[in-house]
Amino acid sequence: MTQTSPSVTGREKAVDALRELILRGDFPAGARLGEVELATRLGVSRTPVREALTRLAAEGLVELVPNRGARVSKWSVEELKGVFDLRTALEPELTALAVPKAGPDDVEELDRLARRMVEVGSPGAGQDLDALVPLNREFHGRLVTLAGHPALAGALASAVHAPIVLRNFHTYDETSLRRSLAHHAEIVAAVRAGDPEWARAVMTAHIRNARAVMVRAAREQENA
Amino acid sequence: MTQTSPSVTGREKAVDALRELILRGDFPAGARLGEVELATRLGVSRTPVREALTRLAAEGLVELVPNRGARVSKWSVEELKGVFDLRTALEPELTALAVPKAGPDDVEELDRLARRMVEVGSPGAGQDLDALVPLNREFHGRLVTLAGHPALAGALASAVHAPIVLRNFHTYDETSLRRSLAHHAEIVAAVRAGDPEWARAVMTAHIRNARAVMVRAAREQENA
DNA sequence: AAACCCAGATTTGTGTGCAATCTAGGACGG
DNA sequence: CCGTCCTAGATTGCACACAAATCTGGGTTT
C-alpha cells in the first residue's frame, strides 16, 4: 500500500509527508491537526492539505469532524479489538499467498529483517524499541507485497496503521516481545520451507499475541 | 458504512449524492467525471466536488489520475476476483456475527426483503432486475449492520461496491439467479434458527456463486 | 498516406479571500 | 458560588481566480 508513483503533485506530497509524520509518531494520537499549521510545515497552501486530510481520513489515520477540524485517530478498546479482528481475517491469508511467490532473495531479505529485529529488540544494552517499528513495517509490508493481492492488501492497510500510531513496541512486556520476535523468525522458516499453512498459522498466532498486548495496554490507558 | 450523520456540509452532501449516482448506475463504469460538470450538477463549487472525489477514490468507486481527472472505476477480471476474495474473507464472518444479534423484527425484515426479491427476480412477466439491486443492497446492508463490527464492515464496503457498479443482476443466468435468491431465503432461515455456522456457510456459497457469475461476465466483456 | 508537431482550448492543481461556524473567556443574573 | 449568555478571536467551508498541465485539431513534413 505504499505510494510508488512519482507523486509530483503537491497533494500526493502532502499525503505522503503527513502520513509519514503520523506513523513516525511526530504527532501523538488525538493531536489536533490545524490546516494552516500543516500548510506552513509542509510548505504548501491549505488546499492540498485539506485534500491530504480527507484522504488520510479515508485511510483511517485521522478523524475529520465537520467544522471542527482534524485530529490524529484514537482507538477505543472495542475499536482496537475490531482492528485486530480485521487483521486476523486478512493477514494470515495474505501470508499464505506470499509463500509460493517468495524467491530465494525474498526469503533472504525477510530473514535479514527478522534477525535485525532480534538484535535491536532483545533486552539489554543495544535495545532500541523505536528502531523496531520501521523494521516491523518493512517485514509485514514485504509479505503483503509478495502475496500480490491488491484487494486484500488495500483492505488490510488501515488495520495495520492503528498499532503503529500507538507506538506499539513500548507496550510489550518482555515475554510477549520475545514471542513476537520468534514469530517473525518462524514465519521466515515456514516461507523457506514452502509451507503456506505453517506460515498462516504462525501469522495468526502473531496477530493474536499482538492483540492481547495492545488490548491490555489500551484498557490500562483508558482506566487512567 | 452508510453515512448516518446529518451531513450538513456541502462536502458530505456531494459525497453521498455522487456515490448514490454511481451506485444507481447513472454513470457507466469508466465514465469520465469532470469537476465542473459535477459541480454544476450538484449545485456546489469545484472545491467540495474535488474532496468528494478523493474520498470516493479511497472507497474504490472512482479512479483518480493526477492531472487527468476522475473516472468511474473499472475492474479487470483479476481485480474482480480479488474483490470477491475479500468478500469471501469478510462477509461470511459478518453474517455469523449478525445471527445472535438479530431480533424478531430483524428476521421479519430480512424475510420480507428475501421474499420481495423472489417476487421481482423470478423470470416471467413481473421480472424487474433493476429493482433487485437496491433490495439486495438493503439485505446485505442489514446483515452487516446487525453484526455490529465497524472495522470489518468498513473493510468490506469497497468490495460490495464493485458488483453493484457492474449492474450485476443482468449478468446472471437463470440457474445462478434462482440459486442466489434461494441463498437469501436460506440465510434468513439460518438467522431464524440462530445458527451462525449455517448462515456463514450459505453466505460463503452465495458469494462464490456471485463470483463465478461476475468473473464469467467480465471475461466475456474483456474478450469483446 | 502516415507520422509528427504545434498552438488553442479545455481541464486540473493551487493559492487566497470571505462567510459561516466553533471555542474560550468574561459579564451578568440567579 | 454556580450556571447561562454573550462577545471576540480563531478556524474551517466554500467559491473564485490564476497557473500548470493535458487534450484536440489542423497543418506540415517525410
Side-chain angles (χ1 to χ4, degrees), chain B residues 67-112:
Chain B
N67 289 314
R68 298 179 67 190
R71 322 187 76 87
V72 178
S73 287
K74 275 178 113 168
W75 287 273
S76 69
V77 172
E78 280 311 305
E79 287 167 330
L80 207 58
K81 283 184 187 173
V83 164
F84 275 97
D85 289 345
L86 181 55
R87 281 188 78 171
T88 305
L90 299 178
E91 202 161 357
E93 176 68 20
L94 279 162
T95 305
L97 287 173
V99 170
K101 308 225 179 156
D105 292 355
D106 300 313
V107 176
E108 194 56 36
E109 180 62 16
L110 289 171
D111 191 46
R112 196 186 65 77

Coordinates of all heavy atoms in Angstrom, one line a residue, chain B residues 67-112:
Chain B
N67 N -3.7 15.1 -12.7 CA -3.7 16.0 -13.8 C -4.6 15.4 -14.9 O -4.7 16.1 -16.0 CB -2.3 16.2 -14.4 CG -1.5 17.1 -13.5 OD1 -2.0 18.1 -13.1 ND2 -0.3 16.7 -13.3
R68 N -5.3 14.3 -14.7 CA -6.1 13.8 -15.8 C -7.5 13.4 -15.3 O -8.2 12.8 -16.1 CB -5.4 12.5 -16.4 CG -4.1 12.9 -17.0 CD -3.4 11.7 -17.6 NE -4.1 11.1 -18.7 CZ -3.8 10.0 -19.3 NH1 -2.8 9.2 -18.8 NH2 -4.5 9.5 -20.3
G69 N -7.8 13.8 -14.1 CA -9.2 13.7 -13.7 C -9.6 12.4 -13.1 O -8.8 11.5 -12.9
A70 N -10.9 12.2 -13.0 CA -11.5 11.1 -12.3 C -12.4 10.3 -13.3 O -13.0 10.9 -14.2 CB -12.4 11.5 -11.1
R71 N -12.4 9.0 -13.1 CA -13.3 8.2 -13.9 C -14.0 7.2 -12.9 O -13.4 6.9 -11.9 CB -12.6 7.3 -14.9 CG -11.5 8.1 -15.6 CD -10.9 7.2 -16.8 NE -11.8 7.3 -17.9 CZ -11.7 8.2 -18.9 NH1 -10.8 9.2 -18.8 NH2 -12.6 8.2 -19.9
V72 N -15.2 6.7 -13.3 CA -15.8 5.6 -12.5 C -14.9 4.4 -12.6 O -14.5 4.1 -13.8 CB -17.2 5.4 -13.0 CG1 -17.9 4.2 -12.2 CG2 -18.1 6.6 -12.9
S73 N -14.7 3.7 -11.6 CA -13.7 2.6 -11.5 C -14.2 1.5 -12.5 O -15.4 1.2 -12.6 CB -13.6 2.0 -10.1 OG -12.9 2.9 -9.3
K74 N -13.2 0.9 -13.1 CA -13.4 -0.3 -13.9 C -12.6 -1.4 -13.2 O -11.6 -1.2 -12.6 CB -13.0 -0.1 -15.3 CG -14.0 0.5 -16.2 CD -13.4 0.7 -17.6 CE -14.1 -0.2 -18.6 NZ -13.7 0.2 -20.0
W75 N -13.1 -2.6 -13.4 CA -12.4 -3.8 -12.8 C -12.0 -4.8 -13.8 O -12.8 -5.2 -14.6 CB -13.2 -4.4 -11.7 CG -13.3 -3.6 -10.4 CD1 -12.4 -3.6 -9.4 CD2 -14.3 -2.7 -10.1 NE1 -12.9 -2.7 -8.4 CE2 -14.0 -2.1 -8.8 CE3 -15.5 -2.2 -10.8 CZ2 -14.8 -1.2 -8.2 CZ3 -16.3 -1.3 -10.1 CH2 -15.9 -0.8 -8.9
S76 N -10.7 -5.1 -13.8 CA -10.3 -6.2 -14.7 C -10.8 -7.5 -14.1 O -11.2 -7.6 -12.9 CB -8.8 -6.2 -14.9 OG -8.2 -6.6 -13.6
V77 N -10.7 -8.6 -14.8 CA -11.1 -9.9 -14.3 C -10.3 -10.2 -13.1 O -10.9 -10.7 -12.0 CB -10.8 -11.0 -15.4 CG1 -11.1 -12.4 -14.8 CG2 -11.8 -10.8 -16.6
E78 N -9.0 -10.0 -13.1 CA -8.2 -10.3 -11.9 C -8.6 -9.5 -10.7 O -8.7 -10.0 -9.6 CB -6.7 -10.0 -12.2 CG -6.0 -11.1 -13.0 CD -6.3 -12.5 -12.4 OE1 -6.0 -12.7 -11.2 OE2 -6.8 -13.4 -13.1
E79 N -8.8 -8.2 -11.0 CA -9.3 -7.3 -9.8 C -10.6 -7.8 -9.3 O -10.8 -7.7 -8.1 CB -9.4 -5.9 -10.3 CG -8.0 -5.2 -10.5 CD -8.1 -3.9 -11.3 OE1 -9.0 -3.7 -12.1 OE2 -7.2 -3.0 -11.1
L80 N -11.5 -8.2 -10.2 CA -12.8 -8.6 -9.8 C -12.7 -9.9 -8.9 O -13.3 -10.0 -7.8 CB -13.7 -8.9 -11.0 CG -15.2 -8.8 -10.8 CD1 -15.5 -7.4 -10.3 CD2 -15.9 -9.1 -12.1
K81 N -11.8 -10.8 -9.3 CA -11.6 -12.0 -8.5 C -11.1 -11.6 -7.1 O -11.6 -12.1 -6.1 CB -10.5 -12.9 -9.1 CG -10.9 -13.7 -10.3 CD -9.8 -14.6 -10.8 CE -10.1 -15.3 -12.0 NZ -8.9 -16.0 -12.6
G82 N -10.2 -10.6 -7.1 CA -9.6 -10.2 -5.8 C -10.7 -9.6 -4.9 O -10.8 -9.8 -3.7
V83 N -11.6 -8.8 -5.5 CA -12.7 -8.2 -4.7 C -13.6 -9.2 -4.1 O -14.0 -9.1 -3.0 CB -13.5 -7.2 -5.7 CG1 -14.8 -6.9 -5.0 CG2 -12.7 -6.0 -6.0
F84 N -13.8 -10.3 -4.9 CA -14.7 -11.4 -4.3 C -13.9 -12.2 -3.3 O -14.5 -12.7 -2.3 CB -15.2 -12.2 -5.4 CG -16.5 -11.7 -6.0 CD1 -16.5 -10.9 -7.2 CD2 -17.7 -11.8 -5.4 CE1 -17.6 -10.4 -7.7 CE2 -18.9 -11.3 -5.9 CZ -18.8 -10.6 -7.1
D85 N -12.6 -12.3 -3.4 CA -11.8 -12.9 -2.4 C -12.0 -12.2 -1.1 O -12.1 -12.7 0.0 CB -10.3 -13.0 -2.7 CG -10.1 -13.9 -3.9 OD1 -10.9 -14.8 -4.1 OD2 -9.0 -13.9 -4.4
L86 N -12.0 -10.8 -1.2 CA -12.1 -10.0 0.0 C -13.5 -10.2 0.6 O -13.6 -10.4 1.9 CB -11.9 -8.5 -0.4 CG -12.1 -7.5 0.7 CD1 -11.1 -7.8 1.9 CD2 -11.8 -6.1 0.2
R87 N -14.5 -10.2 -0.2 CA -15.9 -10.5 0.3 C -15.9 -11.9 1.0 O -16.5 -12.0 2.1 CB -16.9 -10.5 -0.8 CG -17.3 -9.1 -1.2 CD -18.5 -9.1 -2.2 NE -19.8 -9.4 -1.5 CZ -20.9 -9.3 -2.1 NH1 -21.0 -8.9 -3.4 NH2 -22.1 -9.5 -1.4
T88 N -15.3 -12.8 0.4 CA -15.3 -14.2 1.0 C -14.6 -14.2 2.3 O -15.0 -14.9 3.2 CB -14.5 -15.2 0.0 OG1 -15.1 -15.1 -1.3 CG2 -14.6 -16.6 0.6
A89 N -13.6 -13.4 2.5 CA -12.9 -13.3 3.7 C -13.7 -12.7 4.8 O -13.5 -12.9 6.0 CB -11.5 -12.7 3.6
L90 N -14.5 -11.7 4.5 CA -15.2 -10.9 5.5 C -16.7 -11.1 5.7 O -17.2 -11.2 6.8 CB -14.9 -9.4 5.2 CG -13.5 -9.0 5.1 CD1 -13.4 -7.5 4.7 CD2 -12.8 -9.2 6.4
E91 N -17.4 -11.3 4.6 CA -18.8 -11.2 4.7 C -19.4 -12.4 5.4 O -20.4 -12.3 6.2 CB -19.5 -11.0 3.3 CG -20.9 -10.4 3.5 CD -21.4 -9.8 2.2 OE1 -20.6 -9.7 1.2 OE2 -22.6 -9.3 2.2
P92 N -18.9 -13.7 5.2 CA -19.4 -14.8 6.0 C -19.2 -14.6 7.4 O -20.1 -14.9 8.3 CB -18.6 -16.0 5.4 CG -18.2 -15.6 4.1 CD -18.0 -14.1 4.1
E93 N -18.1 -14.1 7.8 CA -17.8 -13.8 9.2 C -18.8 -12.8 9.8 O -19.4 -13.0 10.9 CB -16.4 -13.3 9.4 CG -16.0 -12.8 10.8 CD -15.9 -14.0 11.7 OE1 -15.7 -15.2 11.2 OE2 -15.9 -13.8 12.9
L94 N -19.0 -11.7 9.0 CA -20.0 -10.7 9.5 C -21.4 -11.3 9.6 O -22.2 -11.0 10.5 CB -20.0 -9.5 8.5 CG -18.9 -8.5 8.7 CD1 -18.7 -7.6 7.5 CD2 -19.2 -7.6 9.9
T95 N -21.7 -12.2 8.7 CA -23.1 -12.8 8.8 C -23.2 -13.7 10.0 O -24.2 -13.6 10.7 CB -23.3 -13.7 7.5 OG1 -23.1 -12.9 6.3 CG2 -24.7 -14.3 7.5
A96 N -22.1 -14.4 10.3 CA -22.2 -15.2 11.5 C -22.3 -14.3 12.8 O -23.1 -14.7 13.7 CB -20.9 -16.1 11.6
L97 N -21.6 -13.2 12.8 CA -21.7 -12.3 13.9 C -23.1 -11.7 14.0 O -23.6 -11.4 15.1 CB -20.7 -11.2 13.7 CG -19.2 -11.5 14.0 CD1 -18.4 -10.3 13.6 CD2 -19.0 -11.9 15.4
A98 N -23.8 -11.6 12.9 CA -25.1 -10.9 12.9 C -26.2 -11.9 13.5 O -27.1 -11.4 14.1 CB -25.5 -10.6 11.5
V99 N -26.0 -13.2 13.4 CA -27.0 -14.1 13.8 C -27.5 -13.9 15.2 O -28.7 -13.7 15.5 CB -26.6 -15.6 13.5 CG1 -27.5 -16.5 14.2 CG2 -26.5 -15.8 12.1
P100 N -26.6 -13.9 16.2 CA -27.0 -13.8 17.6 C -27.6 -12.5 17.9 O -28.2 -12.3 19.0 CB -25.8 -14.2 18.4 CG -24.7 -13.8 17.5 CD -25.1 -14.2 16.2
K101 N -27.3 -11.5 17.1 CA -27.8 -10.1 17.4 C -29.1 -9.8 16.8 O -29.7 -8.7 17.1 CB -26.8 -9.1 16.9 CG -25.4 -9.4 17.4 CD -24.7 -8.2 17.9 CE -23.3 -8.5 18.4 NZ -22.4 -7.3 18.3
A102 N -29.6 -10.7 15.9 CA -30.9 -10.4 15.2 C -32.1 -10.7 16.1 O -32.2 -11.8 16.7 CB -30.9 -11.2 14.0
G103 N -32.9 -9.7 16.3 CA -34.2 -9.9 17.0 C -35.3 -10.2 16.0 O -35.1 -10.3 14.8
P104 N -36.5 -10.5 16.6 CA -37.6 -10.9 15.7 C -37.9 -9.9 14.6 O -38.2 -10.3 13.5 CB -38.7 -11.0 16.7 CG -38.1 -11.3 18.1 CD -36.8 -10.5 18.0
D105 N -37.8 -8.6 14.9 CA -38.1 -7.6 13.9 C -37.1 -7.7 12.8 O -37.5 -7.6 11.6 CB -38.0 -6.2 14.6 CG -39.2 -6.0 15.5 OD1 -40.0 -6.9 15.6 OD2 -39.2 -5.0 16.2
D106 N -35.8 -7.9 13.1 CA -34.8 -8.0 12.1 C -35.0 -9.2 11.2 O -35.0 -9.1 10.0 CB -33.4 -8.1 12.8 CG -33.1 -7.0 13.7 OD1 -33.3 -5.8 13.2 OD2 -32.7 -7.2 14.8
V107 N -35.4 -10.3 11.8 CA -35.6 -11.5 11.0 C -36.8 -11.3 10.1 O -36.8 -11.6 8.9 CB -36.0 -12.7 11.9 CG1 -36.3 -14.0 11.1 CG2 -34.8 -13.1 12.8
E108 N -37.8 -10.6 10.6 CA -39.0 -10.3 9.8 C -38.7 -9.5 8.6 O -39.1 -9.7 7.5 CB -40.0 -9.6 10.7 CG -41.4 -9.5 10.1 CD -42.0 -10.8 9.8 OE1 -41.7 -11.8 10.6 OE2 -42.6 -11.0 8.8
E109 N -37.8 -8.5 8.9 CA -37.5 -7.5 7.8 C -36.6 -8.2 6.7 O -36.8 -8.1 5.5 CB -36.7 -6.3 8.4 CG -36.3 -5.3 7.4 CD -37.4 -4.7 6.6 OE1 -38.6 -4.8 7.1 OE2 -37.1 -4.1 5.6
L110 N -35.7 -9.1 7.2 CA -34.9 -9.8 6.2 C -35.7 -10.7 5.4 O -35.5 -10.9 4.2 CB -33.8 -10.6 7.0 CG -32.7 -9.8 7.6 CD1 -31.8 -10.7 8.5 CD2 -31.8 -9.2 6.5
D111 N -36.7 -11.4 6.1 CA -37.6 -12.3 5.4 C -38.4 -11.5 4.3 O -38.5 -12.0 3.2 CB -38.5 -12.9 6.4 CG -39.3 -14.1 5.8 OD1 -38.7 -14.9 5.1 OD2 -40.5 -14.1 5.9
R112 N -38.9 -10.3 4.7 CA -39.6 -9.5 3.8 C -38.8 -9.2 2.5 O -39.3 -9.3 1.4 CB -40.1 -8.2 4.4 CG -41.2 -7.5 3.7 CD -41.4 -6.1 4.4 NE -40.3 -5.2 4.3 CZ -39.9 -4.5 3.2 NH1 -40.7 -4.7 2.1 NH2 -38.9 -3.7 3.2

